[in-house]
Amino acid sequence: GLSASFAKAFVETFDCELGLIPAAMGGTSISDWKVGGTYYNDAIARAKEAQKTSEICAILWHQGESNRNNHSSYAEKLQTILDAMIAELGLDADKIIIITGELREISTGVDKRESFHAELNKLSDVYKNYGVADAEGLTLNQDIIHFDAPSLRVFGYRYFNIFKTLV
C-alpha cells in the first residue's frame, strides 16, 4: 500500500517516531464507511487505542474506486465521515492534516475521473490543511481499477509531499 513509502519518507525527513493506524478495507464504497457503521467504528476504535500513547496529526484517505461511476455526493459523504472522526477523536479541525488521493482515468473514464476529482477538491474549501495526491502517470493492476504495487509506493511519496507542505 501507499503507507509504507509515506512512512519511509516521513522518518527520513522528520526527527520523530511515526505510527500508522491501518483501517483500509478494499472494495468498499463511501456508503460502507457511514458514521456508526462497522468500518467507521473499527477505524475509530483503532484510532482511540493509538491515542492512548500517541497524537494523531493526519488522516490519509484513499477510497473511491467503488464510487467511480456514482460519485455526485462523494464530497458531502466524505465530509460527514471526516467531521465525525474529528469530533469523536477530539482533534482540532484547524490543525489536522487531511490528504485524499485521485483515481486513474483508465478505471473511471476521463470525464468521470475529472468529476470525481472535483468532488475531492471541494473539501479544500472545508478543511484548512487539506490536499489531494495526484495519480497522474500511475499504473493499475490487471483489474484496471486498483494501483499496482510500484505505483502505490510512488503514491505514498506523493501523499507525503503534500503532508510536508501542510505541516
Side-chain angles (χ1 to χ4, degrees), residues 33-55:
W33 286 88
K34 69 182 176 282
V35 176
T38 302
Y39 299 124
Y40 175 88
N41 287 344
D42 180 58
I44 292 296
R46 290 170 187 241
K48 285 183 176 180
E49 185 63 29
Q51 283 181 312
K52 292 178 181 177
T53 59
S54 306
E55 178 184 346

PDB file of all heavy atoms in Angstrom, residues 33-55:
ATOM      1  N   TRP A  33     -18.659   3.248   4.725  1.00  0.00           N
ATOM      2  CA  TRP A  33     -17.921   3.926   5.792  1.00  0.00           C
ATOM      3  C   TRP A  33     -18.799   4.883   6.598  1.00  0.00           C
ATOM      4  O   TRP A  33     -18.303   5.711   7.351  1.00  0.00           O
ATOM      5  CB  TRP A  33     -16.735   4.676   5.190  1.00  0.00           C
ATOM      6  CG  TRP A  33     -15.655   3.728   4.800  1.00  0.00           C
ATOM      7  CD1 TRP A  33     -15.521   3.078   3.612  1.00  0.00           C
ATOM      8  CD2 TRP A  33     -14.585   3.279   5.620  1.00  0.00           C
ATOM      9  NE1 TRP A  33     -14.429   2.255   3.638  1.00  0.00           N
ATOM     10  CE2 TRP A  33     -13.834   2.363   4.868  1.00  0.00           C
ATOM     11  CE3 TRP A  33     -14.194   3.572   6.924  1.00  0.00           C
ATOM     12  CZ2 TRP A  33     -12.702   1.729   5.376  1.00  0.00           C
ATOM     13  CZ3 TRP A  33     -13.076   2.939   7.436  1.00  0.00           C
ATOM     14  CH2 TRP A  33     -12.346   2.032   6.660  1.00  0.00           C
ATOM     15  N   LYS A  34     -20.111   4.760   6.457  1.00  0.00           N
ATOM     16  CA  LYS A  34     -21.027   5.685   7.130  1.00  0.00           C
ATOM     17  C   LYS A  34     -20.750   5.727   8.640  1.00  0.00           C
ATOM     18  O   LYS A  34     -20.331   4.734   9.248  1.00  0.00           O
ATOM     19  CB  LYS A  34     -22.473   5.325   6.853  1.00  0.00           C
ATOM     20  CG  LYS A  34     -22.934   4.024   7.489  1.00  0.00           C
ATOM     21  CD  LYS A  34     -24.373   3.715   7.113  1.00  0.00           C
ATOM     22  CE  LYS A  34     -24.808   2.395   7.665  1.00  0.00           C
ATOM     23  NZ  LYS A  34     -24.353   1.236   6.956  1.00  0.00           N
ATOM     24  N   VAL A  35     -20.992   6.884   9.210  1.00  0.00           N
ATOM     25  CA  VAL A  35     -20.798   7.083  10.650  1.00  0.00           C
ATOM     26  C   VAL A  35     -21.672   6.089  11.405  1.00  0.00           C
ATOM     27  O   VAL A  35     -22.870   5.960  11.124  1.00  0.00           O
ATOM     28  CB  VAL A  35     -21.145   8.534  11.046  1.00  0.00           C
ATOM     29  CG1 VAL A  35     -21.035   8.718  12.554  1.00  0.00           C
ATOM     30  CG2 VAL A  35     -20.229   9.513  10.314  1.00  0.00           C
ATOM     31  N   GLY A  36     -21.051   5.365  12.323  1.00  0.00           N
ATOM     32  CA  GLY A  36     -21.755   4.351  13.097  1.00  0.00           C
ATOM     33  C   GLY A  36     -21.725   2.973  12.479  1.00  0.00           C
ATOM     34  O   GLY A  36     -22.117   1.994  13.120  1.00  0.00           O
ATOM     35  N   GLY A  37     -21.217   2.869  11.246  1.00  0.00           N
ATOM     36  CA  GLY A  37     -21.121   1.576  10.581  1.00  0.00           C
ATOM     37  C   GLY A  37     -19.894   0.796  11.027  1.00  0.00           C
ATOM     38  O   GLY A  37     -19.021   1.302  11.737  1.00  0.00           O
ATOM     39  N   THR A  38     -19.804  -0.433  10.589  1.00  0.00           N
ATOM     40  CA  THR A  38     -18.729  -1.342  11.007  1.00  0.00           C
ATOM     41  C   THR A  38     -17.342  -0.790  10.702  1.00  0.00           C
ATOM     42  O   THR A  38     -16.469  -0.773  11.573  1.00  0.00           O
ATOM     43  CB  THR A  38     -18.903  -2.714  10.323  1.00  0.00           C
ATOM     44  OG1 THR A  38     -20.182  -3.234  10.680  1.00  0.00           O
ATOM     45  CG2 THR A  38     -17.819  -3.689  10.749  1.00  0.00           C
ATOM     46  N   TYR A  39     -17.092  -0.331   9.462  1.00  0.00           N
ATOM     47  CA  TYR A  39     -15.757   0.134   9.084  1.00  0.00           C
ATOM     48  C   TYR A  39     -15.398   1.423   9.817  1.00  0.00           C
ATOM     49  O   TYR A  39     -14.279   1.587  10.300  1.00  0.00           O
ATOM     50  CB  TYR A  39     -15.649   0.332   7.570  1.00  0.00           C
ATOM     51  CG  TYR A  39     -15.892  -0.942   6.795  1.00  0.00           C
ATOM     52  CD1 TYR A  39     -16.871  -1.002   5.825  1.00  0.00           C
ATOM     53  CD2 TYR A  39     -15.149  -2.090   7.062  1.00  0.00           C
ATOM     54  CE1 TYR A  39     -17.108  -2.181   5.128  1.00  0.00           C
ATOM     55  CE2 TYR A  39     -15.391  -3.264   6.368  1.00  0.00           C
ATOM     56  CZ  TYR A  39     -16.364  -3.305   5.408  1.00  0.00           C
ATOM     57  OH  TYR A  39     -16.596  -4.470   4.721  1.00  0.00           O
ATOM     58  N   TYR A  40     -16.349   2.317   9.900  1.00  0.00           N
ATOM     59  CA  TYR A  40     -16.132   3.571  10.622  1.00  0.00           C
ATOM     60  C   TYR A  40     -15.817   3.280  12.095  1.00  0.00           C
ATOM     61  O   TYR A  40     -14.844   3.789  12.644  1.00  0.00           O
ATOM     62  CB  TYR A  40     -17.368   4.475  10.509  1.00  0.00           C
ATOM     63  CG  TYR A  40     -17.251   5.729  11.330  1.00  0.00           C
ATOM     64  CD1 TYR A  40     -16.663   6.867  10.799  1.00  0.00           C
ATOM     65  CD2 TYR A  40     -17.710   5.777  12.643  1.00  0.00           C
ATOM     66  CE1 TYR A  40     -16.533   8.023  11.548  1.00  0.00           C
ATOM     67  CE2 TYR A  40     -17.590   6.924  13.400  1.00  0.00           C
ATOM     68  CZ  TYR A  40     -16.993   8.040  12.858  1.00  0.00           C
ATOM     69  OH  TYR A  40     -16.862   9.174  13.612  1.00  0.00           O
ATOM     70  N   ASN A  41     -16.640   2.462  12.735  1.00  0.00           N
ATOM     71  CA  ASN A  41     -16.434   2.152  14.154  1.00  0.00           C
ATOM     72  C   ASN A  41     -15.092   1.482  14.396  1.00  0.00           C
ATOM     73  O   ASN A  41     -14.423   1.753  15.406  1.00  0.00           O
ATOM     74  CB  ASN A  41     -17.570   1.286  14.684  1.00  0.00           C
ATOM     75  CG  ASN A  41     -18.864   2.065  14.846  1.00  0.00           C
ATOM     76  OD1 ASN A  41     -18.868   3.300  14.854  1.00  0.00           O
ATOM     77  ND2 ASN A  41     -19.970   1.348  14.964  1.00  0.00           N
ATOM     78  N   ASP A  42     -14.700   0.589  13.492  1.00  0.00           N
ATOM     79  CA  ASP A  42     -13.405  -0.076  13.630  1.00  0.00           C
ATOM     80  C   ASP A  42     -12.268   0.939  13.529  1.00  0.00           C
ATOM     81  O   ASP A  42     -11.327   0.902  14.322  1.00  0.00           O
ATOM     82  CB  ASP A  42     -13.249  -1.161  12.568  1.00  0.00           C
ATOM     83  CG  ASP A  42     -11.917  -1.881  12.685  1.00  0.00           C
ATOM     84  OD1 ASP A  42     -11.635  -2.459  13.757  1.00  0.00           O
ATOM     85  OD2 ASP A  42     -11.145  -1.835  11.705  1.00  0.00           O
ATOM     86  N   ALA A  43     -12.349   1.859  12.581  1.00  0.00           N
ATOM     87  CA  ALA A  43     -11.312   2.882  12.423  1.00  0.00           C
ATOM     88  C   ALA A  43     -11.238   3.767  13.665  1.00  0.00           C
ATOM     89  O   ALA A  43     -10.139   4.088  14.153  1.00  0.00           O
ATOM     90  CB  ALA A  43     -11.577   3.731  11.176  1.00  0.00           C
ATOM     91  N   ILE A  44     -12.386   4.148  14.212  1.00  0.00           N
ATOM     92  CA  ILE A  44     -12.418   4.975  15.423  1.00  0.00           C
ATOM     93  C   ILE A  44     -11.818   4.217  16.602  1.00  0.00           C
ATOM     94  O   ILE A  44     -11.024   4.771  17.375  1.00  0.00           O
ATOM     95  CB  ILE A  44     -13.853   5.451  15.730  1.00  0.00           C
ATOM     96  CG1 ILE A  44     -14.327   6.437  14.659  1.00  0.00           C
ATOM     97  CG2 ILE A  44     -13.959   6.057  17.130  1.00  0.00           C
ATOM     98  CD1 ILE A  44     -13.556   7.735  14.589  1.00  0.00           C
ATOM     99  N   ALA A  45     -12.168   2.956  16.759  1.00  0.00           N
ATOM    100  CA  ALA A  45     -11.625   2.154  17.862  1.00  0.00           C
ATOM    101  C   ALA A  45     -10.104   2.049  17.764  1.00  0.00           C
ATOM    102  O   ALA A  45      -9.397   2.185  18.767  1.00  0.00           O
ATOM    103  CB  ALA A  45     -12.266   0.760  17.866  1.00  0.00           C
ATOM    104  N   ARG A  46      -9.594   1.830  16.565  1.00  0.00           N
ATOM    105  CA  ARG A  46      -8.148   1.744  16.371  1.00  0.00           C
ATOM    106  C   ARG A  46      -7.471   3.078  16.702  1.00  0.00           C
ATOM    107  O   ARG A  46      -6.425   3.124  17.339  1.00  0.00           O
ATOM    108  CB  ARG A  46      -7.820   1.352  14.929  1.00  0.00           C
ATOM    109  CG  ARG A  46      -8.182  -0.066  14.580  1.00  0.00           C
ATOM    110  CD  ARG A  46      -8.068  -0.302  13.081  1.00  0.00           C
ATOM    111  NE  ARG A  46      -8.565  -1.582  12.704  1.00  0.00           N
ATOM    112  CZ  ARG A  46      -7.826  -2.526  12.119  1.00  0.00           C
ATOM    113  NH1 ARG A  46      -6.559  -2.299  11.838  1.00  0.00           N
ATOM    114  NH2 ARG A  46      -8.358  -3.676  11.802  1.00  0.00           N
ATOM    115  N   ALA A  47      -8.094   4.161  16.244  1.00  0.00           N
ATOM    116  CA  ALA A  47      -7.532   5.491  16.494  1.00  0.00           C
ATOM    117  C   ALA A  47      -7.543   5.828  17.985  1.00  0.00           C
ATOM    118  O   ALA A  47      -6.568   6.382  18.516  1.00  0.00           O
ATOM    119  CB  ALA A  47      -8.298   6.539  15.693  1.00  0.00           C
ATOM    120  N   LYS A  48      -8.615   5.506  18.669  1.00  0.00           N
ATOM    121  CA  LYS A  48      -8.696   5.777  20.114  1.00  0.00           C
ATOM    122  C   LYS A  48      -7.643   4.978  20.881  1.00  0.00           C
ATOM    123  O   LYS A  48      -7.063   5.475  21.839  1.00  0.00           O
ATOM    124  CB  LYS A  48     -10.096   5.485  20.646  1.00  0.00           C
ATOM    125  CG  LYS A  48     -11.093   6.559  20.250  1.00  0.00           C
ATOM    126  CD  LYS A  48     -12.467   6.294  20.842  1.00  0.00           C
ATOM    127  CE  LYS A  48     -13.412   7.438  20.515  1.00  0.00           C
ATOM    128  NZ  LYS A  48     -14.753   7.226  21.081  1.00  0.00           N
ATOM    129  N   GLU A  49      -7.416   3.760  20.450  1.00  0.00           N
ATOM    130  CA  GLU A  49      -6.365   2.947  21.088  1.00  0.00           C
ATOM    131  C   GLU A  49      -5.007   3.608  20.871  1.00  0.00           C
ATOM    132  O   GLU A  49      -4.200   3.701  21.795  1.00  0.00           O
ATOM    133  CB  GLU A  49      -6.381   1.528  20.514  1.00  0.00           C
ATOM    134  CG  GLU A  49      -5.425   0.578  21.190  1.00  0.00           C
ATOM    135  CD  GLU A  49      -5.728   0.320  22.654  1.00  0.00           C
ATOM    136  OE1 GLU A  49      -6.896   0.399  23.072  1.00  0.00           O
ATOM    137  OE2 GLU A  49      -4.767   0.040  23.402  1.00  0.00           O
ATOM    138  N   ALA A  50      -4.746   4.078  19.680  1.00  0.00           N
ATOM    139  CA  ALA A  50      -3.476   4.749  19.387  1.00  0.00           C
ATOM    140  C   ALA A  50      -3.329   6.037  20.179  1.00  0.00           C
ATOM    141  O   ALA A  50      -2.215   6.395  20.595  1.00  0.00           O
ATOM    142  CB  ALA A  50      -3.374   5.040  17.892  1.00  0.00           C
ATOM    143  N   GLN A  51      -4.430   6.729  20.417  1.00  0.00           N
ATOM    144  CA  GLN A  51      -4.370   7.986  21.156  1.00  0.00           C
ATOM    145  C   GLN A  51      -3.955   7.813  22.609  1.00  0.00           C
ATOM    146  O   GLN A  51      -3.571   8.779  23.261  1.00  0.00           O
ATOM    147  CB  GLN A  51      -5.728   8.705  21.105  1.00  0.00           C
ATOM    148  CG  GLN A  51      -5.985   9.393  19.790  1.00  0.00           C
ATOM    149  CD  GLN A  51      -7.314  10.123  19.780  1.00  0.00           C
ATOM    150  OE1 GLN A  51      -8.345   9.571  20.164  1.00  0.00           O
ATOM    151  NE2 GLN A  51      -7.285  11.375  19.337  1.00  0.00           N
ATOM    152  N   LYS A  52      -3.983   6.587  23.113  1.00  0.00           N
ATOM    153  CA  LYS A  52      -3.536   6.351  24.486  1.00  0.00           C
ATOM    154  C   LYS A  52      -2.062   6.665  24.653  1.00  0.00           C
ATOM    155  O   LYS A  52      -1.622   7.024  25.733  1.00  0.00           O
ATOM    156  CB  LYS A  52      -3.825   4.907  24.898  1.00  0.00           C
ATOM    157  CG  LYS A  52      -5.308   4.609  25.024  1.00  0.00           C
ATOM    158  CD  LYS A  52      -5.541   3.154  25.381  1.00  0.00           C
ATOM    159  CE  LYS A  52      -7.024   2.853  25.485  1.00  0.00           C
ATOM    160  NZ  LYS A  52      -7.264   1.412  25.763  1.00  0.00           N
ATOM    161  N   THR A  53      -1.296   6.535  23.572  1.00  0.00           N
ATOM    162  CA  THR A  53       0.154   6.770  23.655  1.00  0.00           C
ATOM    163  C   THR A  53       0.669   7.721  22.587  1.00  0.00           C
ATOM    164  O   THR A  53       1.864   7.997  22.545  1.00  0.00           O
ATOM    165  CB  THR A  53       0.917   5.433  23.517  1.00  0.00           C
ATOM    166  OG1 THR A  53       0.583   4.833  22.264  1.00  0.00           O
ATOM    167  CG2 THR A  53       0.582   4.485  24.665  1.00  0.00           C
ATOM    168  N   SER A  54      -0.212   8.202  21.725  1.00  0.00           N
ATOM    169  CA  SER A  54       0.237   8.979  20.571  1.00  0.00           C
ATOM    170  C   SER A  54      -0.719  10.125  20.273  1.00  0.00           C
ATOM    171  O   SER A  54      -1.836  10.172  20.787  1.00  0.00           O
ATOM    172  CB  SER A  54       0.321   8.084  19.333  1.00  0.00           C
ATOM    173  OG  SER A  54       1.125   6.958  19.574  1.00  0.00           O
ATOM    174  N   GLU A  55      -0.273  10.987  19.376  1.00  0.00           N
ATOM    175  CA  GLU A  55      -1.099  12.080  18.893  1.00  0.00           C
ATOM    176  C   GLU A  55      -1.385  11.863  17.415  1.00  0.00           C
ATOM    177  O   GLU A  55      -0.485  11.554  16.638  1.00  0.00           O
ATOM    178  CB  GLU A  55      -0.352  13.405  19.066  1.00  0.00           C
ATOM    179  CG  GLU A  55      -1.087  14.597  18.553  1.00  0.00           C
ATOM    180  CD  GLU A  55      -0.282  15.876  18.659  1.00  0.00           C
ATOM    181  OE1 GLU A  55       0.740  15.894  19.369  1.00  0.00           O
ATOM    182  OE2 GLU A  55      -0.671  16.852  18.008  1.00  0.00           O
TER     183      GLU A  55
END
